[in-house]
Amino acid sequence: YQRRVHGGYDVSRIHAIFTYKGKNLLKKDEIKLDYNDKDEYTHLYTLVVKPDNTFAVYFDKSEKAKGSLLDGWDFPPKSTDDPNDKKPSDWDDEKEIDDPDDKRPADFDQVQEMIIDPEATKPEEWDDELDGEWEAPMMRNPKWHGGVWKPRRIPNPKYKGDWKPRQLENPDYEPNVYLYKDISTVGFEVWTVNNGTIFDNILITDDFNHAMKVADETFGKNSGQKEKDAKDAWKKESEKKPESKEENKKDEL
C-alpha cells in the first residue's frame, strides 16, 4: 500500500494528511497555530514519525502537536465491534432518573415570574401631583421556576454503565503504520490563493538532531527578524521617488 504526507499552512492550522490504501486520512483534530504564527514570512514545517507509532509536528522548530498515529488518524483499529453482539434488553445506561418521591408543589402555578421589588422606596423628590402616583419597580422573582416543573434527578440504582459490544480482532489492523518501506519521490501538492508562494529545502532523514542542525543552517540564517528587516529595506528603497529628467540635466551641467 501507499501513503503520502502533505504539510501545509491554511489560515490558522497545519494539515497533516496520510494516504492509506488510496484513501486520504485527515487528522481527527486540528493542529492550530497561534496568532503570532500567521504572517507572510518564511516558515519551517517538520513532521516526525517514530517506530512506536507516535508523531510530532513542529512549526519553526516549535512543537505544535504530538501523540499516537492510531489515535490521531483513522487507520484500521486493532479491534472492531462484533456485529452479532446485541445490547441486552434489560441493560440500563441512564446515569440519573427522576426522583419518584419528588412531587409537584401545590402552589407551583401561583409563583409569578415578576414581583414588586420589596426593597424599593419612593424617592424623596417624588411629587405625586407632578409625577403621578409612584409605583415600585418590578424584579424577577428569585423563586421563579421557569414555568415548567421537573422532578429532581437522582442517581439510577440500576445503572450499569455505557454498553459496548464485544470486540473482535481486526484482520485489517496494521501494527506498523509508521513504516515507509520505499520513498522514491518527493513532491508538493499545493493549494494556494496567494501569489509568490515558494517551497524549497526538502529533507527526509531518520536523524532528528541532523534535521534541526540543517534547519539552523538554512532556515535559521535568514528567517525571523532578518527576513523582516530585509523586506522593510526593500520597501523603503522601492518607495523612493526617481529623479526627474530636469534634475538629471542640472546635475550634468
Side-chain angles (χ1 to χ4, degrees), residues 175-215:
N176 297 319
V177 294
Y178 78 92
L179 183 61
Y180 286 77
K181 296 181 179 179
D182 179 23
I183 301 179
S184 57
T185 56
V186 176
F188 288 109
E189 181 177 341
V190 181
W191 301 347
T192 180
V193 294
N194 299 321
N195 292 329
T197 302
I198 299 173
F199 294 84
D200 62 4
N201 296 331
I202 308 170
L203 173 64
I204 299 177
T205 178
D206 59 1
D207 188 334
F208 179 76
N209 292 330
H210 174 66
M212 293 297 100
K213 181 175 180 293
V214 173

Side-chain angles (χ1 to χ4, degrees), residues 22-112:
K23 182 180 179 181
N24 288 339
L25 305 183
L26 278 68
K27 197 172 186 306
K28 295 178 182 179
D29 58 334
E30 293 185 345
I31 305 176
K32 295 183 178 181
L33 295 173
D34 297 328
Y35 178 80
N36 292 333
D37 294 333
K38 296 178 283 183
D39 56 43
E40 59 186 339
Y41 298 106
T42 304
H43 293 288
L44 175 69
Y45 299 87
T46 307
L47 171 66
V48 178
V49 178
K50 301 180 181 180
D52 60 355
N53 284 329
T54 61
F55 77 96
V57 173
Y58 295 82
F59 178 82
D60 293 350
K61 298 178 63 177
S62 175
E63 186 179 85
K64 292 297 181 181
K66 66 177 180 179
S68 166
L69 291 171
L70 297 174
D71 294 339
W73 288 264
D74 285 324
F75 290 107
K78 190 173 184 178
S79 61
T80 58
D81 296 343
D82 183 352
N84 298 319
D85 191 20
K86 305 300 180 182
K87 181 180 177 180
S89 58
D90 61 346
W91 190 278
D92 196 333
D93 53 11
E94 291 290 335
K95 290 185 177 181
E96 295 182 336
I97 59 173
D98 294 342
D99 185 353
D101 297 327
D102 190 21
K103 305 301 180 182
R104 189 174 188 267
D107 62 347
F108 182 82
D109 292 331
Q110 298 176 10
V111 178
Q112 301 296 315

Side-chain angles (χ1 to χ4, degrees), residues 192-251:
T192 180
V193 294
N194 299 321
N195 292 329
T197 302
I198 299 173
F199 294 84
D200 62 4
N201 296 331
I202 308 170
L203 173 64
I204 299 177
T205 178
D206 59 1
D207 188 334
F208 179 76
N209 292 330
H210 174 66
M212 293 297 100
K213 181 175 180 293
V214 173
D216 290 336
E217 295 172 348
T218 54
F219 170 76
K221 283 188 174 181
N222 300 305
S223 63
Q225 191 60 46
K226 292 181 180 179
E227 184 177 3
K228 294 177 183 178
D229 292 343
K231 183 169 184 178
D232 290 342
W234 175 82
K235 282 185 176 181
K236 186 176 181 180
E237 186 67 26
S238 63
E239 290 172 356
K240 289 183 178 179
K241 294 181 179 180
E243 294 181 347
S244 64
K245 292 183 178 180
E246 293 182 358
E247 290 176 340
N248 288 333
K249 288 182 179 179
K250 289 180 181 179
D251 291 340

Side-chain angles (χ1 to χ4, degrees), residues 94-197:
E94 291 290 335
K95 290 185 177 181
E96 295 182 336
I97 59 173
D98 294 342
D99 185 353
D101 297 327
D102 190 21
K103 305 301 180 182
R104 189 174 188 267
D107 62 347
F108 182 82
D109 292 331
Q110 298 176 10
V111 178
Q112 301 296 315
E113 179 180 0
M114 303 298 292
I115 61 174
I116 295 175
D117 186 352
E119 298 182 358
T121 58
K122 181 179 179 180
E124 294 181 0
E125 65 274 12
W126 189 274
D127 189 320
D128 290 340
E129 293 184 1
L130 296 176
D131 302 322
E133 183 180 355
W134 181 80
E135 294 181 356
M138 303 295 287
M139 61 172 287
R140 182 175 290 276
N141 188 351
K143 296 182 180 180
W144 173 244
H145 40 57
V148 179
W149 182 81
K150 294 181 180 180
R152 181 173 55 248
R153 302 285 287 176
I154 60 174
N156 182 3
K158 296 181 179 180
Y159 175 64
K160 293 185 177 181
D162 295 332
W163 181 83
K164 295 181 180 180
R166 182 171 52 250
Q167 295 295 293
L168 299 177
E169 184 177 340
N170 185 2
D172 296 326
Y173 172 64
E174 171 57 63
N176 297 319
V177 294
Y178 78 92
L179 183 61
Y180 286 77
K181 296 181 179 179
D182 179 23
I183 301 179
S184 57
T185 56
V186 176
F188 288 109
E189 181 177 341
V190 181
W191 301 347
T192 180
V193 294
N194 299 321
N195 292 329
T197 302

